[in-house]
Amino acid sequence: MRQRLCNSSRKRLLLILCVTALAIVLGVTRPWLHRQPECAMTVPSGQSIQEAIDAAEGGDIICLAGGEWTGRLVIDKSLSLVGRGAGTTTIQAALISDPIGQVTDQDAGPITVRLEGLTISGRGGGCAVEISGWAAAEVRDCVIFGKLYGVQVSDSASLTLTSCTVSDSPQRGIALTGSAQASIVDCQIQGNTGHALWLSGSAQATLLASEVSGNRGHGLWLRDEAKVALNDSLVSDNGECGILLTGQSEVQLARSQVSGNAAHGIMAEDAVRLEMTDTNVLSNWHGIEVTGAARATIASSTISLSRFDGIRVQRSASVAVSASVISGNRRGMWITGTSQAELRDCLIEENAGYGLFSSSLSGATGGGNQFRANGLDMGGNLSGALRVPLKEPRESVITWPDPCCTSLQEAVDVLLPGGRLILEPGEYTATLTIQKKLIIEASDGQVTLRGKSDALAVLSLVDGADLHLSGVTVSGGAEGLLISAGASTLVVNSTVSQNADGINLSHSASAELIDSSITGNEGRGVFVGDTAQATITASVISDNSEHGIVAADSAQITITGCTIASNGGAGGVVVWGSPQAVIGWNTIAENAGFGVAIFERPTFRTSPWLFRGRISGSSNVLEGNSWGNVSVPELDFLSTAEGGELDMRL
């Protein structure tokens, strides 16, 4: 009992201290609450504020009593207009289209104006507060709401907004145009039905300890060459993007949070620059998207709980991420187009899909990144050096199951380069990232590696991988094997079945398939694209719902002694782009489309490609294919003993 009383006394003392401190802070930051300024004149309720402004000398302080005024105020000289507090002293618009407070130097030279302790409100068009020319306005402890624009600052004017609320504007809460500047401290820009803060031209703003939340449009929208520094602030729960950057605009975020926005947390496009430090981007649709020629630097930050991508990098954008956490997103980081990414010393964990995926031609550089508990750590055109193994490699051979490791990924990681993973008979859940030379083979008996999600590859090979897979069935993934970058694999006496795609090779990857079965996949059996190379020998490619084998782009493929049968889509073997294919001594039969098809017009009216590759071969048995054995007569040589070639290379 004594302990509980002591705790209660301490809590009461702490509460008293907090209240005292708060009273001191309020007294310092809101002096009008406890003392009146030195008023040159005081305007009681019912008398004209504009007449007082007109009669004032430059630098005068005009004090307003409690009450409500209706009318338009034009302030064209240096002075202060101080009310008794927001909610006590209110100025409203007389006409729907009029601004309420208009601060302008009217070409008479710079002026300095202070508005303090006021509610400024109205409905309809115009601005609640309009600042233009070279005027400098300080607005403190005010509530501004209801006009088309809450505050508009234009030309070379400047605004210092402190401890204010700007809300309920249909178009813009705060708009800065031209070369205007604003310092926004301890403010709430919230509940506007349009965008909260909009900057264009070369306008600049600094936000400190402020909140931009609950607006129906974007939280911040920067365009042209506008710049914003956002420090110790919150941008949350806006109906569109938290921060939208276009043109050549720039934003710097430090110690802030961007969360709960309906679209992107941060969208950076065109040629913008984004710098982010010690900032949390949480629970947005996409966390951060960098596209076009945009550039982003992200350090010591957290990008988490996005409903889709944590970080998305597209087109020719570039992103450098260091010492950051990317976690709990649907996909951690997604890189496409010709974009570039650098990723160093990050923690990428608990993303439902890929922790990191790249289809970009440039891939990603970096290292020292920890990957934990993702759906699949890495996939696509990536270097294995990006990822730190879950366990330090030390074993030459592991027979799985083995108590040394809690998962197959740990078993793969703990093996030394060139090591062997021997699988005992059984079915094992696997979505594995392979980044080194490795042998995976079945011992006596049936072994199946089954993907834990049909949205992820079962085996993902990135640059540095050299896999020898023997005697194993691979099933249940988006791809059975996803082989990218410069990875290579030898698949012997194995089955790849019941995946979305059986085997997918891209970039400069290579694969050799011998005496294997690629069958019953929902999409393509084997896809070879980009500059990848594949050799398929004495194997069965059958009953895949789309094409049996596809060679596209500038790929090279050799198909020898195989059975290619009963595939759907356009046929057994389909080519497009400028690949080189050698097709010999195969049985290509009973496919739903052609036996061998060039996917181009006019045969395929929807094709966007012209064939500019080379096909050669001989001695194939082509029969019973639904649309014909070949899509063009020039391929008839494939079924002859003497063979031939069709060379459409320029």
Side-chain angles (χ1 to χ4, degrees):
M1 174 67 73
R2 183 180 296 110
Q3 181 65 39
R4 286 201 297 270
L5 289 173
C6 289
N7 288 340
S8 177
S9 298
R10 281 197 293 268
K11 289 179 180 178
R12 189 177 299 109
L13 176 59
L14 180 60
L15 178 60
I16 292 168
L17 291 173
C18 289
V19 170
T20 302
L22 180 59
I24 292 170
V25 169
L26 288 173
V28 171
T29 59
R30 294 171 170 81
W32 51 267
L33 289 177
H34 63 84
R35 63 179 177 84
Q36 283 296 302
E38 297 180 2
C39 304
M41 61 186 78
T42 298
V43 182
S45 180
Q47 292 188 8
S48 170
I49 300 174
Q50 186 64 56
E51 288 181 2
I53 292 171
D54 294 342
E57 299 290 336
D60 279 354
I61 298 174
I62 300 173
C63 296
L64 304 180
E68 295 185 0
W69 282 263
T70 299
R72 173 183 178 181
L73 303 181
V74 177
I75 305 174
D76 57 3
K77 64 184 73 172
S78 294
L79 56 79
S80 297
L81 198 63
V82 180
R84 296 293 296 169
T88 301
T89 302
T90 300
I91 304 172
Q92 303 182 70
L95 298 176
I96 288 178
S97 60
D98 277 352
I100 302 171
Q102 187 174 14
V103 180
T104 178
D105 53 28
Q106 295 189 348
D107 300 322
I111 61 171
T112 301
V113 172
R114 176 164 63 104
L115 305 177
E116 185 173 334
L118 305 169
T119 292
I120 304 172
S121 68
R123 296 294 172 189
C127 307
V129 177
E130 182 179 299
I131 308 160
S132 61
W134 291 89
E138 179 185 0
V139 182
R140 177 183 291 272
D141 295 301
C142 290
V143 171
I144 301 167
F145 69 90
K147 296 292 283 181
L148 190 67
Y149 285 36
V151 181
Q152 179 167 331
V153 190
S154 59
D155 305 325
S156 298
S158 64
L159 165 70
T160 300
L161 192 72
T162 305
S163 302
C164 292
T165 297
V166 182
S167 65
D168 199 29
S169 293
Q171 192 73 24
R172 311 273 192 265
I174 299 174
L176 306 176
T177 64
S179 56
Q181 298 189 27
S183 174
I184 301 170
V185 181
D186 186 30
C187 291
Q188 289 76 46
I189 309 168
Q190 60 188 23
N192 296 284
T193 53
H195 310 301
L197 182 61
W198 185 80
L199 290 86
S200 66
S202 58
Q204 298 186 30
T206 299
L207 279 77
L208 175 64
S210 293
E211 181 177 338
V212 182
S213 65
N215 302 283
R216 201 172 289 179
H218 303 302
L220 285 80
W221 182 359
L222 280 68
R223 50 180 294 178
D224 305 325
E225 298 177 351
K227 297 180 181 180
V228 163
L230 193 77
N231 301 312
D232 302 295
S233 293
L234 174 66
V235 181
S236 71
D237 300 300
N238 297 289
E240 297 184 39
C241 296
I243 301 174
L244 173 62
L245 307 169
T246 62
Q248 296 179 304
S249 60
E250 298 181 16
V251 69
Q252 296 178 338
L253 292 93
R255 304 174 306 279
S256 294
Q257 180 166 306
V258 182
S259 61
N261 299 286
H264 300 72
I266 302 172
M267 176 67 175
E269 57 188 24
D270 302 329
V272 309
R273 293 186 63 86
L274 164 66
E275 294 182 14
M276 192 170 89
T277 307
D278 293 319
T279 291
N280 296 325
V281 180
L282 310 174
S283 302
N284 305 283
W285 180 256
H286 294 302
I288 302 171
E289 180 169 340
V290 187
T291 187
R295 302 288 181 266
T297 303
I298 301 167
S300 304
S301 295
T302 296
I303 301 93
S304 185
L305 303 177
S306 305
R307 294 185 289 280
F308 214 81
D309 293 335
I311 302 176
R312 173 181 284 196
V313 192
Q314 298 195 102
R315 297 171 66 187
S316 58
S318 69
V319 171
V321 188
S322 62
S324 294
V325 176
I326 305 171
S327 67
N329 307 286
R330 182 172 175 184
R331 298 188 301 207
M333 186 169 180
W334 195 263
I335 310 167
T336 67
T338 59
S339 57
Q340 300 180 2
E342 181 181 8
L343 198 66
R344 292 192 181 277
D345 303 320
C346 293
L347 174 60
I348 303 172
E349 66 175 352
E350 297 181 354
N351 298 285
Y354 286 94
L356 176 62
F357 188 94
S358 174
S359 61
S360 167
L361 298 176
S362 302
T365 60
N369 302 292
Q370 304 281 342
F371 288 77
R372 299 175 187 166
N374 300 290
L376 181 56
D377 286 346
M378 296 201 304
N381 188 26
L382 296 169
S383 168
L386 286 162
R387 177 181 176 272
V388 175
L390 294 174
K391 287 195 170 185
E392 187 71 24
R394 62 177 184 270
E395 303 290 341
S396 297
V397 179
I398 289 179
T399 300
W400 184 261
D402 189 303
C404 76
C405 303
T406 60
S407 68
L408 266 175
Q409 186 66 66
E410 282 192 1
V412 165
D413 287 353
V414 82
L415 284 166
L416 294 163
R420 295 173 63 202
L421 178 62
I422 302 171
L423 301 173
E424 295 286 0
E427 181 174 298
Y428 305 104
T429 299
T431 49
L432 304 179
T433 299
I434 299 173
Q435 59 199 89
K436 61 189 170 188
K437 187 173 183 180
L438 189 68
I439 298 169
I440 299 179
E441 59 184 4
S443 62
D444 294 337
Q446 178 66 37
V447 172
T448 298
L449 294 178
R450 184 171 296 280
K452 61 184 175 184
S453 168
D454 60 6
L456 303 169
V458 182
L459 303 178
S460 174
L461 281 64
V462 297
D463 199 31
D466 183 358
L467 174 65
H468 181 170
L469 184 70
S470 178
V472 174
T473 295
V474 181
S475 185
E479 299 89 7
L481 282 82
L482 178 63
I483 310 164
S484 303
S488 63
T489 187
L490 171 63
V491 180
V492 179
N493 190 30
S494 293
T495 298
V496 182
S497 68
Q498 297 180 359
N499 303 281
D501 280 350
I503 298 176
N504 186 305
L505 286 92
S506 62
H507 301 95
S508 57
S510 62
E512 184 175 1
L513 280 62
I514 302 173
D515 193 25
S516 292
S517 176
I518 316 300
T519 181
N521 298 286
E522 295 177 6
R524 303 164 295 197
V526 179
F527 177 86
V528 189
D530 296 325
T531 59
Q533 300 180 39
T535 301
I536 307 174
T537 306
S539 295
V540 175
I541 294 89
S542 68
D543 298 291
N544 300 288
S545 296
E546 291 188 21
H547 324 304
I549 300 172
V550 175
D553 307 321
S554 298
Q556 297 184 38
I557 190 166
T558 299
I559 309 166
T560 308
C562 294
T563 297
I564 305 167
S566 302
N567 299 287
V573 179
V574 181
V575 299
W576 66 71
S578 55
Q580 297 187 52
V582 179
I583 306 169
W585 294 276
N586 303 287
T587 297
I588 306 173
E590 308 297 333
N591 294 287
F594 294 100
V596 179
I598 298 172
F599 195 71
E600 69 171 1
R601 297 180 182 181
T603 308
F604 297 92
R605 294 180 179 177
T606 60
S607 172
W609 298 284
L610 288 174
F611 181 64
R612 290 292 181 262
R614 177 178 178 270
I615 301 173
S616 64
S618 66
S619 304
N620 297 283
V621 176
L622 290 105
E623 59 185 17
N625 298 289
S626 296
W627 297 350
N629 291 327
V630 292
S631 63
V632 293
E634 290 85 350
L635 294 176
D636 284 338
F637 65 83
L638 289 170
S639 60
T640 67
E642 61 274 17
E645 71 174 20
L646 173 63
D647 192 346
M648 299 299 292
R649 293 174 294 179
L650 297 175

